């Protein structure tokens, strides 16, 4: 890349490039150990030019985390059409697309980091979780969640986070299986909760009523039934 | 409490008192907003005496988090006797005992805090998670976990954390039900994973083979089967 070509990069493009470089560097090492000189070198620009876009490392780090949070949230949008299981599966596919593409950025976002006050990093992560929660409630046609439904949805979200972080560590399980498994997990957690709560049972029945015979939720019951026989 | 009585408090007792006061104050407000003066006042001792035990707020905060981590970890110990479901249920009861007794300390531990580098708070929390993970593997008689088993156990641990944090927020669901539910959740997540993995299926079959007819895992299948009928 020539100097002329580098100079032609627009403001937004340059910001995005620096954010991508930052996500990569900050997730390899502690932000304290990464210098702006390294960011400049990795981006192929001068140190003063980095400061032109971001007044300091902290600002660059926060911008990088914010970018990851917004990008991830955007993947949750899903049309309100068709069986719920299939909708959730499509969201899971896009979720793992994001995790696969931006693995380091995802880890950096979820684990926060020492350079950013955990309050602010935590607020970004909580924003993503809240967006996921709101989306799921909307798909379930529930405007005011009751305690057990809130627990099922929020605890499933943390399950999806943990599963994705563990998958990133070596990618030793096919992601397509984990996408399906997480949809099954949602159904399983909802069903367990429904065993204790009539309103939850109503939600589960409503989901299953819309589910086709060969749908992903129906599939779960069959799978569970095949297992319990001792070998 | 008289000054004489206060002076009689031993070193360890005084440290524990300050840690208890710290857990309470730091979990109500950001550690930045809590002064050592307030800690001293809440403990009924002088500011210099607080510094005698802890050189600074950061050290006190870390000691408080460390106390919570150790106390919680101690609750995981469970004899290797009897059906696995019953063992896990007893651990869940002690886990919710801890959460109920030290709710603020638990939240402070799990959410970390701005005063402590998220690296160090994170390491404490990861230590607790690792202890839980190791205990569960030992009960499952597995020395080297394979990827899917690791995912099930670790993601269930995050599910238990989230469930407890949500329960603390208003305590709107009976904790005894959540203790049972989390045991059922473990079985459900293991069963879903078993549907994709032969080794996981083997683990699930082994668990179920040891389970009595009226055990907590057996109960789950019955509960699940009663639900799917559309109303």
């Amino acid at each position: 890349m020539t100097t002329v070509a580098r100079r032609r990069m627009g403001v937004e493009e340059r910001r995005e490039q620096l954010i991508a470089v930052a996500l990569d560097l900050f997730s390899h090492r502690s932000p304290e150990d990464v210098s702006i000189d390294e960011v400049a070198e990795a981006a192929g620009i001068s140190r003063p030019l980095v400061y032109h876009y971001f007044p300091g490392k902290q600002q660059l780090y926060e911008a990088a985390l914010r970018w990851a949070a917004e990008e991830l949230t955007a993947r949750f949008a899903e049309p309100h059409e068709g069986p719920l299981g299939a909708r959730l599966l499509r969201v899971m596919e896009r979720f793992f697309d994001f995790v696969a593409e931006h693995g380091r950025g995802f880890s950096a976002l979820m684990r926060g980091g020492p350079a950013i006050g955990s309050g602010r990093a935590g607020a970004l992560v909580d924003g993503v979780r809240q967006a996921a929660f709101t989306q799921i409630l909307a798909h379930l046609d529930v405007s005011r969640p009751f305690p057990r439904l809130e627990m099922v949805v929020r605890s499933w979200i943390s399950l999806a986070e943990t599963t994705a972080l563990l998958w990133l560590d070596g990618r030793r399980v096919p992601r397509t299986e984990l996408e399906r498994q997480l949809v099954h997990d949602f159904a399983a957690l909802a069903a367990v909760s429904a065993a204790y709560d009539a309103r939850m049972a109503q939600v589960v029945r409503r989901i299953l009523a819309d589910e086709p015979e060969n749908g992903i939720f129906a599939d779960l019951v069959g799978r569970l039934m095949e297992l319990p026989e001792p070998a």
Side-chain angles (χ1 to χ4, degrees), chain A residues 11-213:
Chain A
V11 173
E12 262 319 296
E13 203 183 344
R14 178 66 77 194
R15 274 184 63 92
E16 279 169 24
Q17 182 213 12
L18 287 172
I19 284 171
V21 165
L23 279 173
D24 191 54
L25 287 172
F26 288 152
S27 55
H28 272 99
R29 283 174 294 147
S30 161
E32 275 90 355
D33 300 335
V34 175
S35 68
I36 286 288
D37 280 327
E38 283 176 276
V39 173
E41 196 189 328
I45 63 175
S46 71
R47 181 188 161 92
L49 196 53
V50 176
Y51 281 115
H52 175 73
Y53 290 97
F54 297 97
K57 202 161 67 176
Q58 175 74 11
Q59 286 79 2
L60 176 56
Y61 186 64
E62 285 189 35
L65 285 191
R66 196 168 304 114
W67 179 90
E70 284 167 13
E71 175 72 14
L72 178 52
T73 301
R75 313 276 174 126
F76 299 153
E78 169 69 28
H80 287 221
E81 288 163 19
L84 279 162
R87 296 184 212 171
L88 192 54
L89 181 58
R90 283 191 294 270
V91 173
M92 284 299 95
E93 286 162 0
R94 289 198 299 275
F95 172 58
F96 271 88
D97 281 347
F98 175 88
V99 173
E101 288 162 30
H102 309 287
R104 288 169 191 152
F106 178 72
S107 298
L109 177 67
M110 301 321 284
R111 298 190 200 277
I116 195 170
S118 66
R120 236 180 295 179
L124 276 175
V125 174
D126 280 347
V128 176
R129 290 181 183 134
Q130 189 58 32
F133 180 64
T134 307
Q135 282 286 344
I136 293 173
L137 288 189
H139 281 280
L140 292 174
D141 260 327
V142 174
S143 52
R144 291 193 54 193
F146 45 95
R148 279 187 186 279
L149 181 60
E150 183 171 348
M151 278 193 177
V152 166
V153 176
R154 289 198 194 274
S155 63
W156 177 80
I157 289 167
S158 81
L159 190 83
E161 285 172 22
T162 311
T163 302
L165 283 171
L166 287 167
W167 174 72
L168 273 177
D169 183 17
R171 310 196 180 194
R172 291 166 296 168
V173 176
R175 57 168 274 199
T176 50
E177 290 186 16
L178 294 180
E179 292 158 9
R180 291 186 72 82
Q181 219 173 292
L182 280 167
V183 177
H184 285 154
D185 287 342
F186 184 84
L189 296 178
V192 169
S193 180
Y196 293 88
D197 188 271
R199 274 182 299 178
M200 199 60 221
Q202 216 176 349
V203 170
V204 170
R205 283 201 190 89
R206 194 150 47 76
I207 295 171
L208 292 179
D210 288 341
E211 193 65 11
E213 289 265 332

